[in-house]
Amino acid sequence: MNTPDVSATPSAAVAENLRPVERAERIRSIDVIRGVALLGILMMNIPYFGLPEGILGSLKFDHPGDTNFVTHQIVDIAFSGKMRALFSMLFGAGVILLTTRKEHAVGLSVADIYYRRILWMILFGVLDAYVLLWAGDILYAYGLCGLFLFPFRKLAPRYLILASLFCFGVLMFKGNLRFQETKGKREAYLKVMALEKQKKKLTDEQKADKQAWETVVKNSKPDQKKIDEEIKKVRSGYPTVWAYYLPINSEIQSVVMYNFYFWDAIGMMLLGMALYKLGVFTGRLRRRSYLALMLIGYGIGIPLGWLAHQLTQEAHTNFGLYLDTHSFGFPRSTYDIRRVTMALGHVGLIMLVYKSGWLRSLMSALGAVGQMAFSNYVMQTLICTFIFFGYGLGYFGKLTYYQLFYVVAGVWVFQLIASLLWLRFFYFGPLEWAWRSLTYWKRQPFRISKPNPETVVSTAQA
């Protein structure tokens, strides 16, 4: 497409540039990676759809070597957090894609379109959390982070990477700060215990120190009464489930957002912007470069993940002893290092397969899932809440940890097939179409007049 002469026909330039991405303009490799990330995210989300949080730790760690333990070990080391990292990186890449192709528009039109899209995303996130009742919603967090990304779009990759590293540094600092705070409570408690052994009378401050640690220990153990109450509420009708999740969603979208999600998401988005500019997501690198990316990513990420898993198990077994013998909060403080390296390893592997032309049918299906990522993400919420919540089939708390991944496999198969079939008849997924129409405040083409025998796969930020 030729660049329009803005100086001569500004209104025509605006009309030309301010339109949705056409199917032929999409970048196929990005859609494939996004499809993998979208399906992988369900692996992280499914335990929180299907099980009370209070029993997750015991299911994953209490019986080393059993099916739950092994399943969690694989998921934790290879996928947990890594798929969301990929998804966040691609969101950042999408910011560049959206704004670059509209750079010749007049005035503030690029910013206008960009911020309309982001504000609609925030609203969709609120609906996902407070109407569809998914407490793990990421749309709201992505929308808030997206508000800050626009001024970064023209930075050179090295500056984007530095900004990303700053965000990860903040998270590392916060993680270790929390560890040291908890360790301090443990040390104060041990001092009080020593005084009690000497039959000395405790001051009010010392009694408070003792109670603070006892509260930490109590909160780290499953509370069967709370677990039973959660199961009862989530298996109830919609009003009861809504009332149960209301304070949880409010805390996640305020306190947790401020302390964790913002830095987590925006750090990955900035990195994704840099990787897009470096050609990592678009297939510009040679295959040997992707091989190196895979080997280095996995070579760092897998050992760090295995060590973090072992230390987390140690902490679960005896938290007090763990604090007594460690001076650094390794699992929490190195979380983003593990996520980034494993995510880049996944990108290297996916791009090797893609550029080599292997598994073409699977790549096409994954690309279709990625092209409909918004619709498929919300579809996962609808499917899982129907299966597990009381206003659906009510399976909440009935499956053990590893059995939840049978549900994941079923949803994967359904979305791979359904996405391919849908895009034979429609230009966009239903929510992608609605989002575009609302952004441009104009009804967009939806149904393909003649069914497409070959689904065009790809990816650009929808």
Side-chain angles (χ1 to χ4, degrees):
M1 183 177 70
N2 294 326
T3 302
D5 184 353
V6 180
S7 60
T9 56
S11 59
V14 174
E16 173 67 18
N17 285 277
L18 299 186
R19 58 177 178 76
V21 175
E22 300 292 345
R23 290 172 69 137
E25 296 174 294
R26 299 184 66 90
I27 302 172
R28 296 169 62 90
S29 58
I30 298 182
D31 273 346
V32 172
I33 300 171
R34 185 183 288 121
V36 172
L38 188 280
L39 295 179
I41 282 175
L42 184 58
M43 297 176 69
M44 314 332 16
N45 291 343
I46 197 69
Y48 302 98
F49 276 117
L51 288 170
E53 190 170 0
I55 68 171
L56 279 175
S58 59
L59 280 174
K60 294 183 292 192
F61 289 112
D62 279 355
H63 303 285
D66 74 356
T67 307
N68 284 322
F69 181 91
V70 173
T71 302
H72 176 257
Q73 189 173 43
I74 294 170
V75 171
D76 186 47
I77 294 173
F79 304 106
S80 183
K82 291 77 177 176
M83 296 294 104
R84 192 177 76 250
L86 265 184
F87 210 55
S88 301
M89 290 177 191
L90 291 171
F91 184 92
V95 171
I96 305 296
L97 280 165
L98 174 69
T99 57
T100 298
R101 53 182 297 278
K102 295 173 172 49
E103 283 301 316
H104 297 288
V106 176
L108 297 178
S109 297
V110 177
D112 184 41
I113 293 300
Y114 175 81
Y115 281 105
R116 282 193 214 172
R117 286 171 59 81
I118 293 299
L119 291 173
W120 281 116
M121 171 174 271
I122 292 173
L123 177 59
F124 284 129
V126 170
L127 295 175
D128 191 37
Y130 292 98
V131 177
L132 302 184
L133 307 183
W134 172 219
D137 167 75
I138 60 172
L139 299 175
Y140 177 83
Y142 279 19
L144 287 188
C145 291
L147 294 174
F148 294 86
L149 289 177
F150 188 79
F152 293 88
R153 71 194 188 282
K154 292 187 178 181
L155 286 183
R158 62 181 180 276
Y159 296 119
L160 290 168
I161 292 172
L162 287 174
S164 175
L165 291 175
F166 172 78
C167 295
F168 299 148
V170 170
L171 284 172
M172 183 179 290
F173 174 77
K174 283 174 170 281
N176 197 54
L177 198 64
R178 286 194 295 271
F179 175 83
Q180 297 301 333
E181 181 183 354
T182 306
K183 187 176 177 65
K185 291 180 180 179
R186 170 69 176 175
E187 291 171 348
Y189 169 79
L190 292 176
K191 290 178 182 178
V192 172
M193 290 296 96
L195 292 173
E196 282 195 340
K197 286 182 179 180
Q198 298 171 18
K199 306 297 183 182
K200 292 186 177 181
K201 185 178 180 179
L202 301 180
T203 65
D204 290 341
E205 183 178 353
Q206 289 166 341
K207 291 177 181 178
D209 288 340
K210 179 182 178 181
Q211 185 177 8
W213 174 251
E214 289 174 345
T215 300
V216 171
V217 173
K218 180 181 178 182
N219 291 339
S220 67
K221 295 179 179 179
D223 185 330
Q224 193 58 49
K225 184 178 179 181
K226 287 184 178 180
I227 291 171
D228 293 340
E229 185 66 21
E230 181 180 355
I231 290 174
K232 180 181 178 181
K233 288 180 178 179
V234 179
R235 288 183 187 173
S236 300
Y238 183 89
T240 302
V241 180
W242 182 86
Y244 174 74
Y245 279 111
L246 178 62
I248 295 174
N249 280 317
S250 298
E251 181 178 8
I252 289 174
Q253 295 191 346
S254 56
V255 177
V256 178
M257 179 69 194
Y258 173 79
N259 285 314
F260 173 68
Y261 278 167
F262 176 82
W263 299 102
D264 170 274
I266 203 166
M268 293 297 174
M269 291 172 184
L270 290 166
L271 180 58
M273 293 167 78
L275 293 175
Y276 174 79
K277 289 190 173 189
L278 292 171
V280 174
F281 293 137
T282 56
R284 278 177 22 207
L285 307 185
R286 296 181 179 180
R287 276 186 285 184
R288 64 185 181 187
S289 298
Y290 288 113
L291 177 61
L293 188 65
M294 181 187 74
L295 294 176
I296 293 171
Y298 288 162
I300 297 173
I302 292 176
L304 287 178
W306 181 87
L307 179 57
H309 188 272
Q310 299 304 113
L311 291 173
T312 304
Q313 183 188 359
E314 182 182 328
H316 176 79
T317 303
N318 190 327
F319 192 38
L321 179 62
Y322 171 78
L323 290 173
D324 295 341
T325 54
H326 294 86
S327 58
F328 178 70
F330 182 88
R332 176 62 261 180
S333 299
T334 62
Y335 180 61
D336 286 292
I337 298 175
R338 291 180 276 126
R339 292 178 67 211
V340 169
T341 52
M342 284 298 296
L344 293 179
H346 292 330
V347 170
L349 175 60
I350 295 165
M351 291 304 299
L352 271 178
V353 174
Y354 178 81
K355 286 178 70 72
S356 299
W358 302 331
L359 305 175
R360 289 185 181 275
S361 296
L362 178 59
M363 292 294 105
S364 294
L366 287 169
V369 170
Q371 189 173 332
M372 293 177 55
F374 184 17
S375 295
N376 280 318
Y377 179 77
V378 175
M379 187 192 304
Q380 289 177 1
T381 298
L382 292 171
I383 292 172
C384 291
T385 53
F386 175 76
I387 291 173
F388 295 108
F389 291 3
Y391 50 86
L393 301 179
Y395 270 83
F396 186 78
K398 292 183 179 180
L399 302 179
T400 194
Y401 180 79
Y402 80 89
Q403 291 173 330
L404 295 172
F405 293 90
Y406 297 148
V407 178
V408 171
V411 174
W412 283 1
V413 171
F414 174 75
Q415 292 195 319
L416 286 166
I417 296 173
S419 298
L420 271 175
L421 292 176
W422 180 275
L423 290 176
R424 289 191 177 191
F425 299 95
F426 300 94
Y427 289 108
F428 311 113
L431 290 183
E432 284 78 7
W433 172 81
W435 194 15
R436 285 165 166 78
S437 297
L438 290 168
T439 296
Y440 295 90
W441 211 241
K442 179 181 178 181
R443 182 185 176 91
Q444 300 296 315
F446 190 34
R447 188 177 179 88
I448 299 172
S449 56
K450 184 177 181 180
N452 228 357
E454 296 182 5
T455 302
V456 179
V457 183
S458 79
T459 158
Q461 177 66 22

